[in-house]
Amino acid sequence: MDSGQWHVEKRSTLKKESFLKEHRPVSATGGSLSIIVLGASGDLAKKKTFPALFNLYQQGFLNPDEVHIFGYARSNLSDQELRDKIRGYLVHVKNASEKAEALSSKFLQLIKYVSGPYDSEDGFKRLDKAISEQEISKKSSEGSSRRLFYLALPPSVYPPVCKMIKTCCTNKSDVGGWTRIVVEKPFGKDLESAEQLSSQIGGLFDESQIYRIDHYLGKELVQNMLVLRFANRLFLPLWNRDNIANVQIVFREDFGIEGRGGYFDEYGIIRDIIQNHLLQVLCLVAMEKPISLKPEHIRDEKVKVLQSVIPIKDEEVVLGQYEGYRDDPTVPNDSNTPTFATTILRIDNERWEGVPFILKAGKAMSSKKADIRIQFKDVPGDIFKCQKQGRNEFVIRLQPSEAMYMKLTVKQPGLEMQTVQSELDLSYKQRYQDVSIPEAYERLILDTIKGDQQHFVRRDELKAAWEIFTPLLHRIEKGEVKSIPYKAGSRGPTEADQLLEKAGYLQTHGYMWIPPTL
């Protein structure tokens, strides 16, 4: 082995050891840990919640001597029937090793099922009895156990379910144990409904017990944002209105509603993606440096950003609906619900005055991706006459093929002085070959167990987010802002590109980033 190869392999080993040390399992402080998945027979639980729990178990974060998992739903199932429903989602059968299969079988034995309604004490008393029996078997003293309730349910049943949990299933005393509630989006449909939901749940549990999950906050590159901004001197003087021309936060899916027409038509792309996922990303891009990494200090800064956003103007919004959307039998023939939206947010503070933040999301698009694109201003005095090739951009690709790259103008190799656009590239699959990037749900469930609310949405943060979008959503529902038809598989309405150009975004022509191969 030559010295260069040794250094590469040594560096890879050190990176892996550092990652494992940073993410080592959390030792239990106190009694047993019970994780209760409500809505256990539904798609979210099968496809996301249980696989995330299995991955945590597989990596040693869930100690089988301390943890037990309960499923609760209305469906009449046995323990084994629920396990059989989940099994196929835990490991990919074609690539499953014997070890993975054995681990999944052991994990499934930790799962018990209780059937019952969501608004009756009978079912929840049976659930509490099953949890208590398990806690006794783990030799937990009363009140020292930890109970995590994951609501993989529609928001309409949050209030009755939370009431039943509070009445029947919380710890009987507080001797180091806790009861925590994880709730999924959407958190309401507008400001009024969100506040009503918050009041109902907040009347039963303290804010420190409520974990409003937005899985985008669990993505690796989103969690990297604060480190990039505040741990690198390079970005500190650049990250402001003096240097940045515009910021784009984009989400695209290359498929349509896929049988979810009834649900989606009630919410639309703004409620489904922009008001939560993309707005959370905007907060991390735009916030000021917190005084520490304590969850409350970080969330304080995010709230300040949201409160600085000025009202959205109709002329800075383009809505679209892909052709064929209304063919779904569950979608009304006169539906104005957008499946695409581009909206410009403007932040009225010293750092960002005059910089447009362009949030764009769409279904049935030409490609599938999510990224953050920070475009810098033109270089004054263009002595190389290269501005037409494109501006400098810092791009953070959230999915797929996680990466971050800086688009730069460089001299094209050769005898002549010609310029070309290229990039400085950090592609995660290439750079971190030995590190498995965790799924967002894994990370956020682990944060809940740890009691770390940094990556969860606080009540005042939720309120501020709805204050931004509720007036626009009401105008859409009244038909005052119309959705423009666009072809499935396209970039969306051409009016959206015109809005970007009007906002000052300059598209690069003749350059395309290609993920490097291993």
Side-chain angles (χ1 to χ4, degrees):
M1 180 187 299
D2 63 36
S3 61
Q5 185 180 357
W6 183 87
H7 282 296
V8 169
E9 293 195 5
K10 181 66 175 174
R11 183 174 58 192
S12 176
T13 302
L14 290 172
K15 284 284 183 183
K16 186 173 183 179
E17 289 174 354
S18 174
F19 181 87
L20 292 173
K21 182 179 179 182
E22 182 69 21
H23 295 80
R24 63 185 179 273
V26 182
S27 59
T29 55
S32 65
L33 171 63
S34 297
I35 300 173
I36 304 96
V37 181
L38 298 116
S41 59
D43 275 357
L44 176 62
K46 287 186 297 185
K47 294 177 180 178
K48 295 294 183 182
T49 314
F50 284 116
L53 291 172
F54 172 62
N55 288 337
L56 290 173
Y57 171 80
Q58 195 172 207
Q59 296 170 71
F61 288 97
L62 298 181
N63 186 338
D65 294 330
E66 297 174 350
V67 71
H68 212 86
I69 301 168
F70 297 86
Y72 184 91
R74 290 178 295 208
S75 305
N76 188 18
L77 299 171
S78 66
D79 292 349
Q80 192 56 46
E81 284 172 329
L82 177 63
R83 292 166 187 165
D84 290 341
K85 275 177 170 283
I86 297 165
R87 188 183 302 273
Y89 294 96
L90 301 185
V91 292
H92 298 292
V93 178
K94 289 182 180 178
N95 303 318
S97 64
E98 289 185 12
K99 183 180 178 182
E101 287 286 1
L103 272 172
S104 68
S105 295
K106 288 181 180 179
F107 169 77
L108 289 168
Q109 291 307 308
L110 298 175
I111 298 174
K112 291 188 178 295
Y113 182 73
V114 178
S115 173
Y118 294 125
D119 56 357
S120 168
E121 290 188 12
D122 292 342
F124 282 87
K125 285 179 178 177
R126 289 197 304 275
L127 176 61
D128 181 62
K129 182 181 178 183
I131 298 170
S132 297
E133 287 173 354
Q134 189 57 40
E135 290 170 349
I136 292 169
S137 74
K138 302 290 186 186
K139 298 185 170 120
S140 286
S141 58
E142 185 177 2
S144 69
S145 60
R146 299 164 292 162
R147 297 185 177 188
L148 191 164
F149 292 86
Y150 194 111
L151 276 61
L153 295 165
S156 57
V157 298
Y158 288 172
V161 167
C162 287
K163 183 179 179 182
M164 291 299 105
I165 293 170
K166 180 69 174 179
T167 304
C168 305
C169 297
T170 55
N171 282 339
K172 305 301 182 290
S173 63
D174 184 12
V175 192
W178 45 254
T179 300
R180 292 173 185 154
I181 310 294
V182 179
V183 291
E184 283 272 355
K185 78 167 187 72
F187 312 114
K189 290 185 66 180
D190 56 13
L191 177 59
E192 182 181 358
S193 60
E195 278 291 276
Q196 182 180 12
L197 192 60
S198 292
S199 295
Q200 289 171 323
I201 299 175
L204 298 166
F205 295 99
D206 295 336
E207 183 66 23
S208 62
Q209 295 177 282
I210 303 168
Y211 289 70
R212 299 175 190 86
I213 194 169
D214 184 325
H215 76 270
Y216 254 59
L217 290 175
K219 289 186 176 293
E220 182 68 31
L221 272 295
V222 173
Q223 296 210 334
N224 207 348
M225 180 57 68
L226 294 190
V227 180
L228 278 173
R229 286 195 55 199
F230 302 123
N232 294 286
R233 183 62 182 259
L234 168 69
F235 292 119
L236 292 178
L238 299 179
W239 213 265
N240 53 52
R241 60 190 174 93
D242 296 330
N243 299 287
I244 293 176
N246 55 77
V247 177
Q248 275 194 75
I249 305 171
V250 177
F251 172 93
R252 290 180 185 165
E253 286 182 332
D254 55 4
F255 54 88
I257 51 175
E258 305 290 320
R260 294 172 64 235
Y263 165 82
F264 187 86
D265 198 71
E266 187 179 348
Y267 287 91
I269 198 72
I270 294 176
R271 290 186 178 98
D272 197 37
I273 302 295
I274 295 179
Q275 183 272 339
N276 37 68
H277 298 332
L278 302 195
L279 195 58
Q280 284 294 318
V281 174
L282 177 145
C283 288
L284 296 175
V285 173
M287 64 183 271
E288 296 298 321
K289 189 176 187 176
I291 61 174
S292 80
L293 290 178
K294 289 181 180 178
E296 294 313 308
H297 292 158
I298 292 171
R299 299 200 291 183
D300 285 346
E301 296 303 330
K302 289 167 66 183
V303 171
K304 289 177 187 176
V305 171
L306 295 173
Q307 291 175 339
S308 299
V309 174
I310 65 175
I312 300 170
K313 300 176 182 177
D314 287 355
E315 60 266 27
E316 293 193 322
V317 176
V318 171
L319 305 179
Q321 187 184 92
Y322 68 84
E323 295 172 0
Y325 169 75
R326 298 181 194 176
D327 294 344
D328 187 301
T330 60
V331 173
N333 292 330
D334 60 348
S335 172
N336 186 46
T337 298
T339 61
F340 171 98
T342 295
T343 180
I344 296 174
L345 299 190
R346 299 186 181 274
I347 300 171
D348 186 20
N349 65 20
E350 184 179 3
R351 182 182 294 272
W352 296 115
E353 183 181 6
V355 178
F357 281 76
I358 303 159
L359 307 189
K360 181 163 66 173
K363 289 185 172 291
M365 305 291 286
S366 56
S367 61
K368 178 182 179 180
K369 73 168 185 175
D371 63 26
I372 307 163
R373 186 173 300 268
I374 292 117
Q375 186 173 81
F376 292 89
K377 293 184 175 181
D378 292 325
V379 175
D382 182 22
I383 60 174
F384 293 102
K385 308 301 180 189
C386 58
Q387 282 188 3
K388 62 182 179 181
Q389 291 177 342
R391 291 169 166 171
N392 294 149
E393 291 183 352
F394 181 44
V395 182
I396 302 168
R397 189 177 177 98
L398 307 179
Q399 66 181 36
S401 304
E402 293 95 338
M404 58 183 81
Y405 58 95
M406 179 75 80
K407 287 170 60 176
L408 302 172
T409 300
V410 299
K411 178 186 175 297
Q412 184 163 337
L415 295 174
E416 297 186 18
M417 181 57 74
Q418 293 185 347
T419 59
V420 66
Q421 283 242 314
S422 188
E423 72 279 329
L424 299 176
D425 191 328
L426 171 58
S427 292
Y428 273 49
K429 284 184 180 178
Q430 184 184 51
R431 183 65 181 81
Y432 302 112
Q433 295 180 33
D434 297 326
V435 177
S436 175
I437 296 176
E439 290 288 330
Y441 281 94
E442 295 172 44
R443 194 189 305 270
L444 295 174
I445 290 172
L446 185 59
D447 282 348
T448 308
I449 295 169
K450 290 178 178 179
D452 184 352
Q453 291 187 304
Q454 174 181 333
H455 303 116
F456 295 84
V457 181
R458 201 168 65 187
R459 179 173 177 175
D460 57 342
E461 190 179 344
L462 177 65
K463 180 182 178 183
W466 278 118
E467 284 174 340
I468 293 168
F469 281 100
T470 293
L472 172 62
L473 289 166
H474 286 175
R475 293 197 297 274
I476 294 170
E477 287 165 356
K478 292 175 184 175
E480 295 173 11
V481 186
K482 297 289 187 182
S483 293
I484 303 165
Y486 65 95
K487 289 185 178 180
S490 69
R491 285 176 50 84
T494 56
E495 288 86 346
D497 289 332
Q498 293 166 5
L499 177 61
L500 261 64
E501 187 177 347
K502 184 179 176 183
Y505 172 68
L506 295 183
Q507 187 173 355
T508 301
H509 296 283
Y511 167 88
M512 179 178 291
W513 177 76
I514 301 173
T517 55
L518 299 179

